[in-house]
């Protein structure tokens, strides 16, 4: 376990997996992934003041903003926790029957613009066989924890793959199926993945190694939170999700290959899709590509796909209603869709015929649960509603039969309610802002429940090889290291098959990367590959490229390719003098299109933060060059900024998820520019600012170091004019009581004054050095 993460054990009797409960709820919308529970005898009201008589079985002080997960007799919640310097996120595990806390696993929040009121909006997923639970945190950690709350593996999606986040807290949930954990993101990393767009990555559920990537290849409109589902259509196992590009996507679950897509939104498609047989339902609350009324519900037939890869539209609802924030539910032939203004719409799922709409709120984020003839749903304003449905579900619920409860949270708890209830094993579980609730009808025993399984896949056939993939599909290596790749043969459904064919001639190679948008040809990865073993050259300290396997004497048979990044190791230096002008450094994450090597008027080569695009993901960026587990190092670089139209950029250094930033704005009180230390820029969890009137067109040297102590860390930054003696005193320093212990070294840059027609201020970086701290 990495030292940056704190682990709190609350019991010591859980090293082995708990006995399986009657059922698990490992997808936030339930076993059928549609927001429908087949449980019965569920409460139609509740009153905490009456304890069990009021249908409240137990409560626990662990609130949140998403749906709980129930697996193996336990309930899991992801939540924001703490305040001030201790503000962070944690996964909480409690006993399903009693609510007794078993353990918590806590992580920091960093490298994100998401504020604390939007933490932990991505639901969890799990693997019942291993008991592993998976989470995507706000700071970008993809976590795998075991039943004891210990870390099995993790990835830093931001530092490794350039994941982007926005203020709104929209983060897609991971999903587990067929041994894989798949998660979507808007990302910009390197090479052919340098362009910022919506991508999906599949990790091996047990090891965390990358199995495949899928690039939608469409421009990402904004961050998004469409949580994916798994379906079987035409005998093919698919991952289906809305995207940041405004499309509904279907891809092969086991290989990441595109099957079809449907463009239906001009913004991000945030609602989670629902699948019923061959029918796929999706919603959005933005403008439509064809114009006309905003907002939309579509139903497409995923089994009927035209030659352009577009499924047949069965019906749609377009009436200037925004279905942008909550996801629908499907139960007993009815589709229940909350709009953003607080109306719940009920449609015939097969035809799209509207049955009714019911006003229950003014502001909505949480999604409905349909169960036992009732709809359980929350609004943002601390209320839970329980609507009673008629026998045929075709009549508008009666307000007199609607139960409403307004939550009373402890003082100091930000009290929005954005969660989604679940119902499993005769109990109803949900979170309010500060509390995890378990409801049940007194005396009622859970009935045996059978859920509709996914349709059968195409029967498996041996020796049905149609393609191959390389495993792992994406690796990070060090200079001189040898990495071994395995050829995995697959059938048309992506399932692994034995290759019993006569062995065709096959070759391994290191191909040239694709050309850049400007037409430049990047070099191939420096190294040698033989029989699937790639040995990285010892020379280039950072680089990137691909390894390829191809069958056939002409190499035109089955092919497979893997991505390889060579990351900087400590100690490491870069002065850009050997870098091609106009290039971005190889082996860096999120540098392409945002940071470029330029030749200055004095002939010196330096790195510049691109200043010609005002769009936030391009104007503001972090780039990373060491691995996320880097620790106990100091980063130093020379920095210079220019002044354009009275404005200057913000830019600086990153060390272990802390940033030392030269602030280009002039403080209105001191009339000087400033230098600041920050970790979570959207929140003042860790922030120290001092006046330092740095000037344009002047080179400065900046240094960022961290002294780790037993329970805290002291973060120190220093800035002085280049060429002057280094001052003994630090420009600013601050102690962090919940410190980041590890993190990639990198650079930060934000050009605040570029426009669509005018370039902004310049920010230059040179003579970067990452050195190990003395022990």
């Amino acid at each position: 376990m990495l030292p940056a993460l704190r682990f709190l054990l609350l019991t010591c009797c859980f090293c082995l997996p708990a006995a399986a409960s009657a059922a698990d709820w490992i997808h936030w919308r339930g076993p059928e992934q549609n927001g429908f529970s087949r449980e019965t005898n569920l409460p139609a009201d509740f009153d905490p003041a009456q304890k069990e008589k009021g249908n409240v079985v137990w409560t626990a002080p662990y609130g949140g903003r998403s749906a709980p997960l129930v697996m193996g007799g336990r309930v899991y919640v992801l939540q924001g926790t703490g305040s001030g310097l201790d503000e962070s996120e944690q996964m909480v595990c409690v006993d399903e029957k009693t609510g007794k806390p078993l353990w918590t696993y806590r992580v920091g929040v960093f490298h994100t613009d998401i504020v604390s009121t939007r933490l932990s909006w991505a639901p969890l997923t799990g693997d019942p066989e291993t008991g592993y639970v998976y989470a995507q945190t706000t700071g970008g950690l993809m976590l795998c924890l075991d039943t004891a709350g210990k870390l099995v593996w993790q990835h830093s999606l931001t530092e490794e793959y350039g994941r982007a986040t926005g203020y709104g807290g929209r983060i897609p949930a991971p999903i587990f199926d067929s041994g894989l954990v798949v998660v979507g993101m808007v990302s910009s990393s390197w090479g052919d993945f340098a362009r910022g767009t919506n991508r999906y990555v599949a990790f091996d559920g047990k090891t965390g190694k990358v199995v495949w990537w899928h690039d939608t290849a469409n421009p990402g409109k904004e961050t998004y939170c469409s949580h994916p589902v798994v379906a079987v259509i035409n005998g093919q196992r698919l991952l289906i999700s809305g995207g940041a590009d405004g499309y509904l996507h279907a891809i092969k679950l086991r290989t990441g290959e595109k099957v079809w897509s449907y463009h239906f939104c001009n913004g991000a498609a945030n609602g989670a899709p629902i699948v019923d047989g061959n029918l796929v339902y999706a919603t959005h609350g933005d403008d439509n590509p064809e114009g006309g009324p905003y907002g939309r519900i579509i139903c497409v037939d995923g089994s009927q796909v035209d030659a352009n890869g577009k499924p047949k539209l069965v019906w749609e609802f377009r009436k200037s209603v925004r279905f942008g924030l909550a996801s629908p539910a499907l139960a007993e032939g009815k589709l229940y869709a909350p709009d953003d203004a607080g109306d719940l719409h009920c449609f015939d799922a097969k035809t799209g015929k509207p049955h009714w709409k019911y006003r229950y709120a003014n502001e909505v984020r949480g999604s409905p649960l349909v169960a036992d003839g009732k709809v359980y749903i929350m609004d943002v304003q601390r209320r839970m509603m329980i609507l009673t449905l008629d026998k045929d579900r075709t009549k508008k619920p009666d307000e007199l039969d609607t139960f409403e409860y307004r939550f009373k949270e402890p003082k100091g708890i930000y009290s929005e309610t954005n969660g989604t209830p679940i119902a499993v094993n005769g109990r109803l579980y949900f979170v309010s802002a500060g509390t995890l609730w378990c409801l049940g009808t007194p005396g009622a025993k859970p009935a045996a429940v059978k859920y509709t399984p996914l349709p059968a896949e195409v029967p498996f056939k041996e020796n049905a090889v149609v393609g191959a993939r390389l495993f792992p599909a994406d690796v990070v290596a060090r200079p001189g290291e040898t990495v071994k790749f395995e050829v995995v043969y697959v059938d048309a459904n992506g399932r692994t098959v034995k290759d019993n064919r006569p062995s065709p001639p096959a070759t391994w190679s290191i191909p040239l990367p694709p050309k850049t948008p400007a037409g430049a040809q990047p070099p191939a990865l420096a190294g040698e590959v033989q029989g699937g073993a790639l040995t990285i050259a010892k020379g280039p300290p950072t680089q990137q490229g691909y390894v390829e396997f191809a069958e056939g004497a002409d190499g035109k048979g089955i092919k497979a390719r893997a991505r390889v990044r060579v990351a900087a190791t400590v100690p490491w230096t870069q002065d850009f003098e050997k870098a091609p002008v106009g290039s971005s450094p190889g082996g860096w994450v999120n540098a392409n299109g945002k940071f470029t090597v330029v030749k200055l008027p004095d002939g010196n080569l330096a790195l510049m933060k691109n200043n010609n695009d005002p769009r936030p993901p391009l104007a503001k960026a972090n780039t990373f060059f060491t691995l996320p587990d880097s620790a106990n190092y100091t980063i130093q670089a020379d920095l210079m900024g220019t002044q354009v139209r009275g404005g200057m950029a913000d830019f600086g250094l990153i060390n272990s998820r802390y940033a030392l930033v030269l602030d280009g704005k002039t403080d209105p009180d001191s009339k000087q520019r400033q230098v600041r230390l920050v970790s979570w820029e959207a929140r003042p969890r860790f922030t120290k600012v001092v006046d330092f009137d740095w000037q344009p067109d002047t080179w400065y040297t900046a240094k960022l170091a961290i002294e780790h102590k037993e329970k805290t860390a002291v973060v120190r930054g220093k800035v002085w004019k280049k060429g002057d003696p280094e001052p003994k005193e630090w420009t600013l320093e601050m102690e962090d009581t919940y410190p980041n212990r590890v993190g990639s070294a990198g650079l930060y840059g934000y050009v605040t004054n570029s426009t669509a027609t005018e370039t902004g201020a310049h920010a230059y970086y040179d003579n970067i050095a990452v050195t190990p701290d003395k022990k």
Side-chain angles (χ1 to χ4, degrees), residues 5-216:
L5 307 174
R6 293 182 180 175
F7 171 59
L8 175 62
L9 297 181
L10 298 178
T11 88
C12 59
C13 302
F14 46 78
C15 293
L16 296 176
S21 60
D24 294 322
W25 191 283
I26 65 167
H27 186 278
W28 76 294
R29 304 315 309 276
E32 296 177 14
Q33 305 173 84
N34 58 3
F36 176 48
S37 172
R38 297 183 183 273
E39 297 287 339
T40 57
N41 297 319
L42 297 174
D45 56 37
F46 63 99
D47 183 357
Q50 296 188 38
K51 302 297 181 182
E52 287 80 4
K53 292 182 180 180
N55 296 327
V56 178
V57 180
W58 54 259
T59 61
Y62 305 110
R65 290 179 175 82
S66 61
L69 178 145
V70 173
M71 184 174 70
R74 298 170 178 207
V75 183
Y76 299 85
V77 173
L78 187 67
Q79 63 162 189
T81 187
S83 60
L85 284 173
D86 290 331
E87 190 170 8
S88 54
E89 283 184 292
Q90 65 181 8
M91 189 189 299
V92 180
C93 174
V94 305
D95 183 89
E96 180 184 355
K97 293 183 178 179
T98 66
K100 179 182 178 181
L102 300 177
W103 52 260
T104 66
Y105 187 87
R106 195 172 173 192
V107 298
V109 182
F110 43 81
H111 294 328
T112 181
D113 289 330
I114 296 173
V115 297
S116 57
T117 56
R118 305 294 178 93
L119 294 180
S120 306
W121 230 329
L124 305 167
T125 190
D127 175 8
E129 180 183 343
T130 61
Y132 291 173
V133 182
Y134 307 93
Q136 182 183 180
T137 72
T138 305
L141 296 178
M142 183 67 223
L143 300 175
C144 171
L145 304 182
D146 68 11
T147 56
K150 294 182 178 179
L151 182 69
V152 179
W153 56 262
Q154 72 170 342
H155 284 280
S156 177
L157 302 180
T158 302
E159 293 166 304
E160 294 179 65
Y161 309 122
R163 184 201 74 152
T165 61
Y167 165 84
R170 294 185 292 271
I171 298 176
I175 187 169
F176 177 85
D177 189 87
S178 303
L180 303 176
V181 183
V182 185
V183 65
M185 70 186 98
V186 175
S187 70
S188 172
S189 57
W190 57 265
D192 54 345
F193 284 5
R195 182 186 187 188
T197 190
N198 195 172
R199 297 182 176 90
Y200 300 87
V201 59
F203 300 104
D204 182 278
K206 293 181 179 179
T207 67
K209 292 183 179 180
V210 176
V211 176
W212 55 255
W213 278 97
H214 175 79
D215 186 341
T216 64

Side-chain angles (χ1 to χ4, degrees), residues 616-666:
L618 298 174
K620 180 179 181 180
N622 294 333
T623 181
F624 305 102
F625 30 80
T626 69
L627 294 174
D629 60 359
S630 301
N632 302 308
Y633 63 87
T634 296
I635 182 171
Q636 178 175 310
D638 295 334
L639 308 174
M640 183 180 74
T642 68
Q643 191 172 47
V644 174
R645 298 188 301 279
M648 297 182 70
D650 303 340
F651 61 119
L653 313 177
I654 297 171
N655 181 338
S656 301
R657 298 163 184 168
Y658 297 97
L660 171 65
V661 179
L662 276 66
D663 199 323
K665 299 180 293 295
T666 301

Side-chain angles (χ1 to χ4, degrees), residues 735-751:
E735 188 166 16
D736 192 350
T737 58
Y738 190 73
N740 304 320
R741 298 294 191 185
V742 298
S744 298
L747 304 176
Y748 168 85
Y750 185 15
V751 179

Side-chain angles (χ1 to χ4, degrees), residues 421-433:
I422 70 172
V424 61
N425 300 325
R427 297 287 185 261
L428 187 75
Y429 299 93
F430 58 89
V431 291
S432 57

Side-chain angles (χ1 to χ4, degrees), residues 213-260:
W213 278 97
H214 175 79
D215 186 341
T216 64
N218 304 312
K221 306 297 179 59
E222 55 186 332
T223 55
Y224 78 113
C225 61
S226 181
H227 310 315
V229 299
V230 172
V232 176
I233 298 177
N234 281 345
Q236 220 171 38
R237 201 171 195 89
L238 305 175
L239 179 90
I240 300 179
S241 176
D245 53 6
Y247 282 74
L248 178 65
H249 296 287
I251 59 182
K252 291 184 183 179
L253 174 74
R254 297 184 182 92
T255 62
E257 297 169 273
K258 177 181 175 179
V259 177
W260 53 257

Side-chain angles (χ1 to χ4, degrees), residues 404-615:
E404 176 186 320
Y405 180 79
R406 185 176 291 274
F407 297 101
K408 303 174 180 64
E409 302 294 353
K411 186 177 180 180
I413 295 289
Y414 186 80
S415 54
E416 282 189 353
T417 40
N418 301 300
T420 296
I422 70 172
V424 61
N425 300 325
R427 297 287 185 261
L428 187 75
Y429 299 93
F430 58 89
V431 291
S432 57
T435 306
L436 169 60
W437 298 75
C438 173
L439 306 185
T441 302
K445 294 183 178 180
V449 175
K450 291 184 178 181
Y451 285 96
T452 303
L454 291 177
E457 297 183 56
V458 170
F460 184 86
K461 294 181 180 180
E462 288 290 347
N463 202 28
V465 174
V466 300
R469 58 179 174 82
L470 294 187
F471 178 74
D474 190 321
V475 297
V476 181
R478 292 174 170 83
E481 184 179 354
T482 296
V483 181
K484 293 184 178 181
F485 296 92
E486 176 189 359
V487 181
V488 180
Y489 289 99
V490 298
D491 66 5
N493 207 10
R495 293 170 295 200
T496 301
V497 293
K498 291 183 179 179
D499 182 22
N500 296 321
R501 303 168 300 156
S503 297
T507 58
W508 289 84
S509 64
I510 300 177
L512 283 171
K515 291 184 177 180
T516 68
Q521 176 61 68
L525 185 73
E528 295 183 353
V529 60
Q530 292 184 350
L534 170 69
T535 300
I536 306 295
K538 295 180 180 180
T542 63
Q543 56 168 324
Q544 63 201 33
Y546 309 87
V547 61
E548 187 171 270
F549 168 84
E551 288 187 352
D554 56 1
K556 294 182 179 180
I558 290 175
K559 289 186 177 182
R561 177 178 284 198
R563 295 167 54 81
V564 181
R565 173 187 168 221
V566 180
T569 56
V570 182
W572 173 83
T573 61
Q574 174 62 272
D575 62 8
F576 305 106
E577 291 304 316
K578 296 181 180 180
V581 172
S583 69
S584 296
W588 291 26
V589 171
N590 199 36
N592 297 70
K594 302 178 178 70
F595 297 84
T596 303
V597 176
V598 297
K599 189 173 185 178
L600 300 178
D602 63 1
N604 182 48
L605 298 186
L607 189 71
M608 184 186 79
K609 172 67 187 70
N610 290 4
N611 61 349
N612 58 351
D613 198 316
R615 289 176 293 176

Side-chain angles (χ1 to χ4, degrees), residues 360-399:
Y360 71 98
N362 293 315
E363 188 178 7
V364 175
R365 300 289 187 277
S367 302
L369 170 73
V370 182
D372 195 25
K374 296 176 275 289
V375 177
Y376 299 86
I377 193 166
M378 296 181 181
D379 73 354
V380 172
Q381 306 301 325
R382 306 185 301 281
R383 294 189 306 161
M384 161 77 93
M385 271 67 66
I386 304 177
L387 317 181
T388 300
L389 301 172
D390 71 295
K391 182 180 179 180
D392 297 325
R393 318 305 195 229
T394 57
K395 295 181 180 178
K396 178 180 176 181
D398 191 332
E399 291 186 9

